[in-house]
Amino acid sequence: MDVVDDGGSSRASRVRRRRRSRVLSRYAGRPIRLIWRYVARHKTAHSLVLLSVFAAVACALASQYGIRNLIDALPTGRAHPEGVIRAFTILVALIFADNLFWRIAGWISARTFVAVTGDIRREMFDYLAGHAPSFFSDKQPGVLSSRISATANAVYTVENTIAWTTLPPSLTVIGSIGLVAAVSVPMSLTLVAISGVLAFCLFLLARNGKSRHEAFARQAASVDGELVDVIGNMGLVRAFCAMLVEGRRFDAHLAAETDSRKRSLLYLEKLRLLHAIATSILSACVLGWTVWLWSEGRATTGDVVLIGSLGFSILHGSRDIAVAFVDLTQHVARLGEASETLLIPHSMPELTKATPLDVKRATVDFDNVTFAYPGRRPVLDRLDLHIEAGERVGLVGPSGAGKSTVLALLQHFYEPGSGYVRISGEDISQVTVQSLQAAISIVPQDVTLLHRSLLENIRYGRPDASDADVRRACEDAHCLDFIMAMPDGLNTVAGDRGAKLSGGQRQRIAIARAILKDSPILLLDEATSALDTASEIAIQAALERLMKNRTVVAIAHRLSTVQSFDRIVVLNRGHIVQEGPPAELAAVPGIYRDMLVRQGRRTPAPRPDLM
């Protein structure tokens, strides 16, 4: 039962993980900085994409100038064909180079942008897993998972929008203005002023629509959460004939989400309409100005074509920039909302100076521990409890007495309001999370299995266990027979949360999982609650083998589970009101004897000799 800290990972990796968590929390609600964090990890690749886009736009602009030279060379082309051939060759080369650079940018971005989304999902999941259990109790799983996906997808969309929708027209506008200036400086300056005014107006209008985009992001996440919540509890929904009720509830959420999306999109369309009207009028003015220059003899036919084409490029480019910027505003708003939810600071971060738990003797101590859930009265009040190494202690008492809280604090799911929880003499708030988890095995009342094979579920606490070790654990837990009776045996997929198994079968799998993990401290949370009487007798034998040479803390409503224990601790309203061997407590008035009477057991059963 050696406890290996962090599954063999080094202290350096723990330090890096803690440092990364502290850094990530600074990006909550700061989407631009969050994007740059991941872009900076792939600087070379992003630089190549940027340079390729620059080169492609430059070739496209040069192609328009090449068309101008070709048109001007045509009047004398029959007498001097070399000018036409040269202009034609240059134009074809520029068109080819234009397409080549776009393909290079696309090839690199296909790898780089996907790598960025992988980095985001990986770090967001790692950060999310570092939150205290209280964080998850207040959030719907679907909302959290959708926000991880929303964060990654938003960054991917932002990168694509900038690379293909925002940057090219921006460069086109800048380059076109420069080329127009070579023919008419006044026209160039006019176009600069008009484009600047249009961009500024659209920026202000887009910023005013931010609240609409954020509302849509919140409603979209809410709909995802409702879907996962209902689908994950479909058995409950059907059992209570609540399909119509849930349908109406979902319709209400969907209507709110649809309404918020409609308001967001209609606001964007208003901006696009405003810009379309402005560019239509201005395009006509630019074309008229160009023709006037030609009539005055101040521009060649090629200049007319060039300036007209560039003028359209500038005005339509500013439209594309505005449209892309408005879209970016929506995606950045969703990214900001998702990051605010996921990257709130950890309420119980692992200490930088945390050390691995060294379990020399698996003693457990609660020293003057007081604890209350937020907004509620204290569940534990100055609790003092000492459990010797190898001792079996049963926790009994009425609902709300604090039994489950004792197990939760022992696993460091919460920080005590005051006092200390110690294992082997060490304050568990000062040790690494992985080493604490490695020291404890638990068989819960509500057994949770992953949607994976039974073999993977049983190996979950000890992934390197051999097949022979797994089979022995299954035999000890009395679950090998029903597993091998399944068509796929240990490769049978458990289903969502173990839906393909009965409650008793899930508990036997949990016992096998705990046996295989082989931790020095064992927690039993009503470990036989889902078993019938015949199954309970068989499982008691498995539990006896599981509990051998371990420190055991067990919650029991069914008192037959703890009749063979060394000591019973009776809790009531956060205090220890009785404690002692089961036989002694059964002989004196009190909560324990009252519970025995209610269960029809006036005297404890003799301890079975299953050694």
Side-chain angles (χ1 to χ4, degrees):
M1 292 186 291
D2 295 331
V3 177
V4 180
D5 179 49
D6 287 14
S9 64
S10 66
R11 178 178 176 80
S13 67
R14 297 198 305 272
V15 172
R16 285 195 299 270
R17 196 182 305 119
R18 288 195 294 265
R19 186 183 298 118
R20 184 167 61 242
S21 295
R22 288 196 299 271
V23 171
L24 275 174
S25 64
R26 301 171 189 167
Y27 292 96
R30 297 179 176 180
I32 304 301
R33 290 185 60 191
L34 183 65
I35 293 172
W36 178 247
R37 168 182 172 82
Y38 295 103
V39 169
R41 291 186 179 180
H42 305 274
K43 290 180 181 177
T44 302
H46 281 92
S47 298
L48 290 174
V49 172
L50 185 64
L51 290 174
S52 298
V53 171
F54 265 94
V57 172
C59 290
L61 290 171
S63 296
Q64 296 187 52
Y65 202 81
I67 293 173
R68 177 256 190 195
N69 290 338
L70 180 61
I71 292 174
D72 285 343
L74 288 177
T76 59
R78 292 184 179 90
H80 303 283
E82 64 276 3
V84 175
I85 294 173
R86 182 171 58 253
F88 173 77
T89 303
I90 292 173
L91 179 59
V92 170
L94 288 171
I95 293 173
F96 176 80
D98 178 13
N99 285 279
L100 176 63
F101 282 121
W102 280 121
R103 299 287 63 78
I104 292 174
W107 184 269
I108 298 172
S109 67
R111 296 171 177 268
T112 306
F113 295 174
V114 171
V116 167
T117 62
D119 292 344
I120 293 172
R121 290 175 190 268
R122 191 177 302 110
E123 286 200 348
M124 290 296 168
F125 171 77
D126 190 53
Y127 187 87
L128 187 66
H131 280 295
S134 57
F135 173 85
F136 298 97
S137 64
D138 295 332
K139 304 288 189 302
Q140 290 178 308
V143 171
L144 297 176
S145 62
S146 70
R147 275 169 167 79
I148 291 179
S149 297
T151 301
N153 292 337
V155 172
Y156 180 80
T157 303
V158 166
E159 285 204 291
N160 274 284
T161 302
I162 291 174
W164 315 125
T165 312
T166 306
L167 186 59
S170 299
L171 297 175
T172 298
V173 168
I174 295 171
S176 296
I177 289 172
L179 290 176
V180 169
V183 178
S184 173
V185 173
M187 185 183 293
S188 175
L189 294 176
T190 301
L191 289 172
V192 169
I194 292 172
S195 298
V197 171
L198 276 177
F200 181 71
C201 291
L202 287 169
F203 171 78
L204 293 179
L205 292 171
R207 187 175 62 179
N208 290 336
K210 183 180 178 182
S211 61
R212 293 175 173 84
H213 309 321
E214 289 177 340
F216 163 56
R218 287 192 298 270
Q219 291 294 338
S222 175
V223 168
D224 291 341
E226 284 294 317
L227 277 172
V228 173
D229 191 33
V230 173
I231 293 172
N233 293 281
M234 189 56 72
L236 175 67
V237 173
R238 289 183 178 277
F240 285 87
C241 305
M243 285 300 299
L244 292 177
V245 174
E246 291 299 336
R248 287 193 293 268
R249 178 184 172 89
F250 181 72
D251 285 345
H253 281 275
L254 193 59
E257 189 262 355
T258 302
D259 186 57
S260 63
R261 172 177 284 194
K262 182 171 62 179
R263 287 198 300 270
S264 175
L265 293 177
L266 286 177
Y267 190 82
L268 299 183
E269 286 304 318
K270 290 177 183 177
L271 296 185
R272 293 188 179 108
L273 178 61
L274 175 64
H275 191 273
I277 293 172
T279 53
S280 297
I281 295 172
L282 292 171
S283 296
C285 292
V286 169
L287 183 59
W289 193 346
T290 307
V291 172
W292 176 76
L293 288 175
W294 172 81
S295 67
E296 292 288 318
R298 295 159 56 185
T300 67
T301 303
D303 288 337
V304 172
V305 175
L306 175 65
I307 293 177
S309 175
L310 293 176
F312 287 133
S313 295
I314 292 170
L315 294 173
H316 289 134
S318 66
R319 178 199 61 193
D320 293 340
I321 294 170
V323 170
F325 180 79
V326 171
D327 287 341
L328 282 175
T329 301
Q330 189 177 48
H331 293 299
V332 169
R334 188 162 192 178
L335 175 60
E337 190 274 338
S339 66
E340 281 185 339
T341 300
L342 294 174
L343 298 180
I344 64 174
H346 290 158
S347 60
M348 293 174 57
E350 184 176 276
L351 300 178
T352 304
K353 61 180 180 180
T355 57
L357 176 62
D358 183 13
V359 184
K360 296 183 176 67
R361 298 181 66 253
T363 58
V364 173
D365 288 281
F366 283 72
D367 295 338
N368 200 32
V369 171
T370 297
F371 176 78
Y373 295 100
R376 295 164 58 182
R377 66 174 181 79
V379 181
L380 300 178
D381 187 11
R382 297 186 297 277
L383 177 69
D384 286 305
L385 175 64
H386 173 74
I387 301 174
E388 275 294 335
E391 187 179 13
R392 304 180 186 185
V393 174
L395 301 180
V396 302
S399 297
K403 304 183 295 297
S404 296
T405 302
V406 168
L407 296 196
L409 291 176
L410 187 53
Q411 297 172 84
H412 201 215
F413 288 171
Y414 305 94
E415 287 282 7
S418 63
Y420 302 93
V421 180
R422 293 187 173 89
I423 292 177
S424 194
E426 295 187 54
D427 183 355
I428 62 173
S429 66
Q430 305 295 314
V431 304
T432 61
V433 174
Q434 290 288 347
S435 66
L436 175 63
Q437 293 170 345
I440 299 174
S441 292
I442 182 167
V443 180
Q445 179 178 10
D446 182 17
V447 176
T448 299
L449 300 180
L450 297 171
H451 186 63
R452 302 172 190 173
S453 70
L454 296 180
L455 180 62
E456 290 175 285
N457 275 283
I458 294 170
R459 274 183 176 157
Y460 200 64
R462 189 180 152 198
D464 60 343
S466 67
D467 290 348
D469 290 336
V470 172
R471 290 180 68 90
R472 278 195 296 270
C474 291
E475 289 174 353
D476 289 343
H478 290 259
C479 62
L480 185 61
D481 289 344
F482 79 75
I483 290 176
M484 301 315 295
M486 296 179 177
D488 296 322
L490 283 166
N491 293 319
T492 300
V493 175
D496 183 42
R497 299 177 62 86
K500 293 184 178 180
L501 305 178
S502 68
Q505 288 174 330
R506 287 197 299 270
Q507 281 197 316
R508 296 190 198 191
I509 295 295
I511 292 171
R513 185 169 57 190
I515 291 173
L516 191 63
K517 187 180 179 185
D518 197 25
S519 299
I521 297 175
L522 174 65
L523 307 182
L524 303 175
D525 186 358
E526 198 56 51
T528 61
S529 63
L531 304 176
D532 56 36
T533 303
S535 298
E536 182 185 1
I537 294 172
I539 291 301
Q540 285 288 6
L543 288 175
E544 282 292 329
R545 282 189 286 272
L546 174 60
M547 292 186 291
K548 186 177 180 181
N549 298 324
R550 288 179 173 83
T551 302
V552 180
V553 184
I555 295 175
H557 295 290
R558 187 183 292 184
L559 298 183
S560 59
T561 307
V562 293
Q563 291 305 298
S564 63
F565 277 33
D566 302 306
R567 181 162 46 121
I568 300 296
V569 173
V570 183
L571 292 173
N572 191 24
R573 297 183 179 180
H575 297 278
I576 297 176
V577 294
Q578 286 182 293
E579 64 177 313
E584 291 184 9
L585 292 185
V588 298
I591 293 176
Y592 182 74
R593 192 169 74 172
D594 292 342
M595 293 175 67
L596 279 177
V597 171
R598 284 195 297 269
Q599 295 183 22
R601 294 173 179 267
R602 295 184 179 275
T603 57
R607 179 167 176 168
D609 185 11
L610 298 172
M611 306 292 287

